[in-house]
Amino acid sequence: MMDKLFLKDNDYAGLLKELAREGIVYASVEEEGEKPHIRLITDDYDGQLKPASIRAVEPLKALLFPALENVGAYMGGADPGEAKQRAFIIGAKSCDLRSLEILDRVFAGGDFEDPFYIEKRDRLTIISSDCTACADECFCGLMDIRPYPTGEYDMNLSKVDGGFVVDTGSERGAEIVSKHKEFFSGAADGQVEERERNREAISLALEEQAEGLRIDADLRKITSEGFEDDVWEEEAGRCVECGACNFICPTCHCFILSDHAGGKGYERMKRWDACQYAGFTRVAGGASVLQRRSERLRNRYDKKFIFFPALMDRYACTGCGRCVSACPGKIDIREILKVLSSQALARRQR
Amino acid sequence: MNNPYLPIAATIEEIIEESASIKTFVIRPDEEIVFETGQFVELTVPGVGEAPFTPSSSPSVSERMEITIMEAGSITRLLHGMSPGAKVGLRGPYGVGYPLEKFRGRPVVIVGGGVGLAPLRSLLLALMEEIQLYDTIYLKYGAKTPGDIIYRRLIPEWAEVEGLDVTLTVDGGDEDWKGNVGVVTTILDDGRIDPAKAVAVACGPPIMMKFATSRLLELGYREDEIYLSMERNMSCGIGKCGHCRLGEYYICKDGPVFTWNKIKHVEEPFA
Ligand SMILES: Cc1cc2nc3c(=O)[nH]c(=O)nc-3n(C[C@H](O)[C@H](O)[C@H](O)COP(=O)(O)OP(=O)(O)OC[C@H]3O[C@@H](n4cnc5c(N)ncnc54)[C@H](O)[C@@H]3O)c2cc1C
Ligand code: SF4
Ligand code: SF4
Ligand code: FES
């Protein structure tokens, strides 16, 4: 194994700008007065560059499964033929890396592959980074996710004093190092130790936050047992069907195909869809299996805590808390899980 | 690139009126589409959108496909307005076909309601092509009124086929109707069939599916021998878009046909 490397704070921006000559660079940044967000970095970017402390507002899926994507023309239409460029995401966090397991399964697994996803996934180099803070909404610990990447990255940056401890996780990551040697030096033992201390501290903070939630860790069980609970009806009363929870979620993968005339023929678009919309399961004639808002709310939990665990032994929630911040109805996944959990406990004590 | 989202072009060659709201479209795709009976396709109205349908023709014909369609909403309305020569798109086939090998040597009871007979016609044709391999095939079909019975031009021929027994019923008859009156569940009890040996295959509107399933179970059909065509809103047809979920399954990928034992735990499967 290669010794740990070090990247100086001063070289961070330089590396990103170098990478911007090789492909599209998306970086998760924290700019004055803004929440961490993804922005495009060009080689003439001169803003402040500092990796975000927590996950960006935008889920990683947006780079692989865009909100609206042309999936081609048929019967005479001209193919969009977009230029295929390498892309880099800098500063992806552990929770979002875990969402890739779900997305890979959906789009790259099964009998049919989605070539649009696979192609973007192949082109994307992931340079992740450790979380250096934990937001109030973060509850990744409940999903067994660490606040620092444990895999799925090409390169990882762990913030320490004066710079970053660098790990490479793939050939691609190693290539970045060999190609841009000038930015990297060996990390001192003390720096690696500092990284470990940071990781412990942030993990502890998250654990404390998770403990305060008092949620039974068997989410599969509490969700299926709580299928008939009143909580769905009570909480769904505040849902305005905006779809934000679905769209902002790194693992929500539902979409709908829609067609229009384009060029000399026709084009088909693949666009994010939301199971919270009344029309999601509506069939001709008006019937729907998710007629009530409460049924649609429950559907989201069913999918995340029953369906995906059955399919691949993974919760399809990363505890990123984005849906908590996004919901105008203040519907909080942690509160719902808390109710399901305490009801399950009460049943057991009866 | 192997793009699973795009259709191949196809031409409507003929349109046959089956009832006031149901038409059969004879469609020739530019490239042959080989399907198993029970699988479905996505049919595109160019520039507008697509909808899932199960071919009603024999799976042994791949250069042409018949699809029997009820006018029910926007895509089906546009299809009903088309004339021979019109261009459409097709992709598929998707889902899993009927396991015909499991039906061999046994009585096969085919239960259809309304336009639900369309996919079953494909099954019936497939069975008829090797009818000696099966015990008697019973077709039990119910429609609202005599005018709603589809394939009226074909049913007399079917009734002549040795090894095939056809029983029809209507919810409400008219002066000319001499046959059974009552919903399809009323013609399921048939002394000639040993439910313990038979397989039942049903397709029809949700309410009919619900009652037919309970009736078949009451009569002693085995849970894993009742094949049900399930329906949900669909978009992708390939297990990705999330629309057609039924419990732990996607109907487009794991169905559209399920045996009752596989889905009975799902809350309101026929909703
Ligand atoms: C596997 C399968 C096989 C089918 N086979 C037949 C058949 O042989 N003959 C027939 O007449 N009908 C069949 N249907 C039902 C048919 O798909 C719907 O009637 C049709 O989608 C209605 O589309 P629309 O645009 O006219 O209705 P709208 O209400 O305008 O629907 C808009 C869109 O929603 C989706 N949608 C709406 N209703 C349904 C539905 N019931 N099932 C799936 N998606 C739906 C479609 O994508 C449709 O284009 C089948 C459905 C499934 C799932
Ligand atoms: S459900 Fe909410 S907390 Fe869980 S992954 Fe999706 S957006 Fe994040
Ligand atoms: S974000 Fe909140 S209001 Fe919007 S659809 Fe989701 S639950 Fe409903
Ligand atoms: S129709 Fe898309 S998952 Fe079944």
Side-chain angles (χ1 to χ4, degrees):
Chain A
M1 210 190 116
M2 205 192 317
D3 281 337
K4 298 262 181 289
L5 296 167
F6 187 73
L7 171 73
K8 290 204 290 281
D9 276 338
N10 285 343
D11 286 336
Y12 176 75
L15 176 64
L16 265 54
K17 289 182 196 177
E18 275 304 314
L19 295 176
R21 292 174 212 268
E22 294 168 28
I24 306 168
V25 173
Y26 301 101
S28 181
V29 298
E30 227 162 301
E31 286 167 313
E32 212 36 55
E34 306 248 16
K35 286 187 174 178
H37 58 277
I38 295 177
R39 72 151 30 253
L40 200 64
I41 306 293
T42 48
D43 58 1
D44 57 358
Y45 181 76
D46 60 0
Q48 272 272 335
L49 261 181
K50 166 162 136 319
S53 53
I54 61 161
R55 90 279 179 290
V57 169
E58 304 87 345
L60 193 50
K61 75 173 177 188
L63 300 182
L64 302 167
F65 163 44
L68 183 64
E69 180 174 34
N70 189 330
V71 292
Y74 60 91
M75 295 167 69
D79 241 313
E82 66 178 286
K84 309 274 187 265
Q85 270 202 71
R86 276 189 79 176
F88 298 86
I89 174 72
I90 322 288
K93 300 298 185 188
S94 181
C95 55
D96 269 11
L97 297 186
R98 273 293 274 279
S99 73
L100 295 180
E101 287 180 36
I102 303 289
L103 298 180
D104 285 351
R105 175 65 189 232
V106 171
F107 292 112
D111 297 337
F112 297 88
E113 294 184 337
D114 182 319
F116 301 93
Y117 176 87
I118 291 175
E119 196 258 330
K120 288 187 188 61
R121 181 85 160 92
D122 287 345
R123 274 193 287 131
L124 185 67
T125 297
I126 300 174
I127 302 182
S128 54
S129 62
D130 293 12
C131 288
T132 52
C134 101
D136 290 346
E137 314 87 67
C138 293
F139 61 103
C140 55
L142 195 63
M143 305 299 158
D144 243 344
I145 295 175
R146 314 267 76 206
Y148 48 86
T150 52
E152 286 287 346
Y153 56 80
D154 295 302
M155 178 181 273
N156 184 63
L157 307 177
S158 310
K159 185 78 193 82
V160 291
D161 195 34
F164 307 87
V165 172
V166 180
D167 287 282
T168 54
S170 71
E171 270 310 302
R172 273 189 190 172
E175 266 168 39
I176 296 177
V177 175
S178 55
K179 203 162 166 190
H180 303 284
K181 286 191 198 70
E182 66 278 19
F183 294 122
F184 300 95
S185 56
D189 287 350
Q191 287 168 322
V192 178
E193 281 158 24
E194 181 187 348
R195 188 265 291 273
E196 298 312 319
R197 280 197 303 278
N198 289 346
R199 286 183 164 183
E200 269 167 42
I202 194 89
S203 299
L204 198 67
L206 272 156
E207 259 165 49
E208 276 167 16
Q209 203 150 293
E211 238 156 67
L213 293 174
R214 294 184 206 296
I215 296 171
D216 181 334
D218 193 346
L219 303 174
R220 189 172 177 163
K221 195 156 168 220
I222 63 171
T223 310
S224 48
E225 285 179 4
F227 227 65
E228 304 301 333
D229 205 286
D230 294 336
V231 70
W232 309 114
E233 204 58 59
E234 283 160 12
E235 294 288 318
R238 299 196 307 278
C239 174
V240 298
E241 299 182 39
C242 64
C245 53
N246 290 126
F247 297 151
I248 206 77
C249 177
T251 67
C252 273
H253 63 85
C254 292
F255 65 88
I256 187 163
L257 298 171
S258 63
D259 293 25
H260 59 89
K264 287 201 204 75
Y266 310 98
E267 284 174 348
R268 184 156 285 167
M269 309 296 285
K270 174 180 154 201
R271 67 169 80 224
W272 291 352
D273 201 357
C275 65
Q276 303 306 297
Y277 288 165
F280 188 74
T281 55
R282 189 185 286 142
V283 292
S288 171
V289 279
L290 303 177
Q291 193 76 271
R292 303 184 62 77
R293 258 186 305 198
S294 56
E295 291 168 330
R296 297 197 288 278
L297 183 63
R298 186 178 66 188
N299 182 67
R300 209 164 163 264
Y301 292 70
D302 183 352
K303 202 66 195 281
K304 297 196 181 304
F305 303 119
I306 301 174
F307 179 88
F308 274 107
L311 183 73
M312 55 184 289
D313 207 21
R314 277 270 179 279
Y315 295 133
C317 170
T318 67
C320 73
R322 287 184 177 96
C323 58
V324 177
S325 319
C327 180
K330 301 223 171 344
I331 296 173
D332 186 331
I333 184 166
R334 298 165 304 174
E335 293 302 318
I336 291 180
L337 292 175
K338 222 191 280 184
V339 172
L340 294 176
S341 178
S342 63
Q343 301 287 24
L345 188 68
R347 268 191 304 275
R348 241 157 279 153
Q349 285 168 348
R350 233 177 270 144
Chain B
M1 177 169 68
N2 196 350
N3 188 339
Y5 298 120
L6 292 188
I8 52 179
T11 310
I12 296 180
E13 290 195 329
E14 195 188 340
I15 300 174
I16 304 159
E17 215 163 296
E18 304 285 1
S19 77
S21 61
I22 299 172
K23 290 180 180 177
T24 295
F25 298 77
V26 183
I27 303 173
R28 179 185 290 274
D30 284 2
E31 296 158 40
E32 284 189 19
I33 294 181
V34 180
F35 67 96
E36 286 171 36
T37 183
Q39 288 189 298
F40 70 96
V41 295
E42 286 281 349
L43 176 61
T44 299
V45 172
V48 183
E50 46 180 10
F53 301 97
T54 305
S56 58
S57 50
S58 164
S60 50
V61 180
S62 52
E63 70 275 10
R64 240 185 292 107
M65 178 184 290
E66 292 179 31
I67 304 181
T68 302
I69 298 173
M70 182 168 82
E71 185 176 334
S74 54
I75 298 292
T76 50
R77 188 171 312 122
L78 288 167
L79 287 165
H80 271 243
M82 287 182 174
S83 313
K87 293 283 180 199
V88 290
L90 279 174
R91 63 187 176 97
Y94 299 130
V96 186
Y98 289 104
L100 296 186
E101 63 296 341
K102 288 196 190 160
F103 297 1
R104 300 210 168 117
R106 312 170 61 184
V108 182
V109 184
I110 299 177
V111 186
V115 74
L117 184 58
L120 296 174
R121 175 185 165 223
S122 170
L123 171 65
L124 195 60
L125 293 173
L127 295 174
M128 272 158 53
E129 283 163 19
E130 45 175 38
I131 200 156
Q132 69 290 350
L133 298 181
Y134 305 89
D135 193 328
T136 309
I137 296 162
Y138 298 88
L139 172 64
K140 300 189 176 291
Y141 176 50
K144 274 209 187 87
T145 71
D148 292 311
I149 294 175
I150 63 171
Y151 306 135
R152 258 167 299 174
R153 66 211 147 88
L154 302 171
I155 289 173
E157 282 172 36
W158 295 347
E160 296 297 309
V161 175
E162 194 159 338
L164 173 60
D165 179 273
V166 180
T167 317
L168 305 183
T169 183
V170 293
D171 297 357
D174 57 21
E175 297 104 75
D176 299 331
W177 181 253
K178 310 235 164 20
N180 299 301
V181 175
V183 293
V184 76
T185 44
T186 60
I187 55 170
L188 296 183
D189 193 358
D190 186 326
R192 297 167 300 172
I193 307 169
D194 177 359
K197 291 214 183 81
V199 297
V201 182
C203 184
I207 187 80
M208 172 224 128
M209 296 292 281
K210 187 172 170 172
F211 287 111
T213 305
S214 346
R215 187 71 193 125
L216 289 166
L217 290 168
E218 270 168 27
L219 290 170
Y221 286 80
R222 284 172 43 180
E223 288 184 348
D224 57 347
E225 300 294 2
I226 302 175
Y227 291 82
L228 303 162
S229 283
M230 301 304 290
E231 212 178 301
R232 290 283 185 277
N233 175 298
M234 285 190 183
S235 181
C236 73
I238 56 173
K240 310 229 175 280
C241 76
H243 280 92
C244 68
R245 192 170 70 84
L246 172 76
E248 68 267 46
Y249 310 108
Y250 283 128
I251 291 182
C252 66
K253 171 169 94 50
D254 307 305
V257 175
F258 295 87
T259 50
W260 175 241
N261 60 315
K262 286 197 166 168
I263 55 169
K264 63 174 183 181
H265 65 282
V266 177
E267 175 171 269
E268 299 188 46
F270 301 115

